[in-house]
């Protein structure tokens, strides 16, 4: 798989998964996620996928400041219905990293390692912050993504139109892809720790 080099420059997320340790899937249960893992899951790279990846990172760093976060130890509450906007795509990336799954998740082994129903969707539409709750101590934060500080390229709409034309040339498709990924690059490399883009609030 060939992909833009900046994917490997994006911040990584270290997790500890006790289920992975039990089943021998990872030494000591340590799993290291990179942005390309989210891209492989989604099948594409966009500001929504990158934003979800960074939202997970911000929340987990706040909840586990001195250690890798525990995969399966987090409950995630989405701010909208599953089929509203980009909520479903965001949730899939959050499930990948945190292990928190909806009703279709892993049922567990002997009452342990349950991932099912750790992720839920809000019935009320219009909210925007995702809530992350530690299951062991109840600590929680919300994270809201604001992409207004990272505008797309001014010519993006025109480039997209040209690329979608059945008669588009390879050069036109490449130009659109590069312009599209430039916004993703700026989000991942320039704003990964920007509190005005990733608005984190402790919950009590």
């Amino acid at each position: 798989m060939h992909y833009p080099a900046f994917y490997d420059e994006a911040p990584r997320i270290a997790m500890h998964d006790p289920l992975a340790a039990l089943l021998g899937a990872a030494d000591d249960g340590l799993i290291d996620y990179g942005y390309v893992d989210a891209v492989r899951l989604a099948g594409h790279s966009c500001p929504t996928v990158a934003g979800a990846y960074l939202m997970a990172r911000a929340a987990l760093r706040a909840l586990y400041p001195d250690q890798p976060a525990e995969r399966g130890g987090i409950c995630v509450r989405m701010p909208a219905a599953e089929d509203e906007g980009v909520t479903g795509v965001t949730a899939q990336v959050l499930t990948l990293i945190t292990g928190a799954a909806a009703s279709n998740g892993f049922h567990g082994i002997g009452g342990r390692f349950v991932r099912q129903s750790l992720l839920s969707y809000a019935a009320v539409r219009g909210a925007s912050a995702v809530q992350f709750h530690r299951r062991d101590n109840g600590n929680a934060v919300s994270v809201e993504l604001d992409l207004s500080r990272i505008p797309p390229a001014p010519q993006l709409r025109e480039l997209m139109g040209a690329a979608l034309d059945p008669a588009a040339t390879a050069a036109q498709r490449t130009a659109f892809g590069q312009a599209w990924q430039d916004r993703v690059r700026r989000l991942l490399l320039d704003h990964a720790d920007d509190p005005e883009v990733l608005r984190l609030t402790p919950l009590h």
Side-chain angles (χ1 to χ4, degrees):
M1 176 179 174
H2 297 283
Y3 51 83
F6 75 83
Y7 289 6
D8 290 332
E9 299 173 30
R12 303 188 69 83
I13 302 174
M15 302 292 294
H16 175 259
D17 190 329
L19 177 61
L22 174 70
L23 299 180
D27 290 343
D28 300 320
L30 295 176
I31 302 177
D32 183 57
Y33 288 102
Y35 177 61
V36 72
D37 295 312
V39 173
R40 288 190 175 105
L41 172 75
H44 69 281
S45 169
C46 68
T48 294
V49 173
Y53 179 84
L54 292 179
M55 290 171 75
R57 174 177 176 265
L60 296 172
R61 292 177 74 194
L63 292 173
Y64 295 85
D66 302 315
Q67 65 190 91
E70 181 169 327
R71 194 169 187 275
I74 297 288
C75 289
V76 177
R77 184 174 302 164
M78 303 302 296
E82 182 177 8
D83 60 353
E84 181 177 342
V86 298
T87 302
V89 176
T90 300
Q92 290 175 352
V93 176
L94 298 182
T95 293
L96 168 71
I97 296 168
T98 68
S103 59
N104 61 344
F106 182 57
H107 290 214
I109 302 175
R112 300 173 61 193
F113 314 114
V114 175
R115 307 293 166 80
Q116 183 185 39
S117 299
L118 296 184
L119 183 144
S120 60
Y121 295 92
V124 178
R125 296 178 180 268
S128 55
V130 179
Q131 295 183 6
F132 299 79
H133 297 255
R134 276 186 65 159
R135 301 173 66 197
D136 57 354
N137 62 15
N139 290 346
V141 297
S142 69
V143 183
E144 181 177 2
L145 180 68
D146 182 357
L147 294 174
S148 64
R149 288 172 52 84
I150 314 167
Q155 74 278 24
L156 188 66
R157 185 178 298 274
E158 290 76 13
L159 291 172
M160 177 183 286
L164 290 174
D165 190 313
T169 65
Q172 287 173 314
R173 290 193 294 270
T174 297
F176 168 66
Q178 290 176 343
W180 181 269
Q181 290 304 312
D182 181 66
R183 190 182 188 202
V184 178
R185 179 193 61 78
R186 286 181 282 134
L187 173 58
L188 288 169
L189 302 190
D190 300 338
H191 297 277
D193 298 307
D194 187 340
E196 294 189 27
V197 173
L198 296 151
R199 297 178 177 173
L200 187 143
T201 304
L203 301 177
H204 303 287

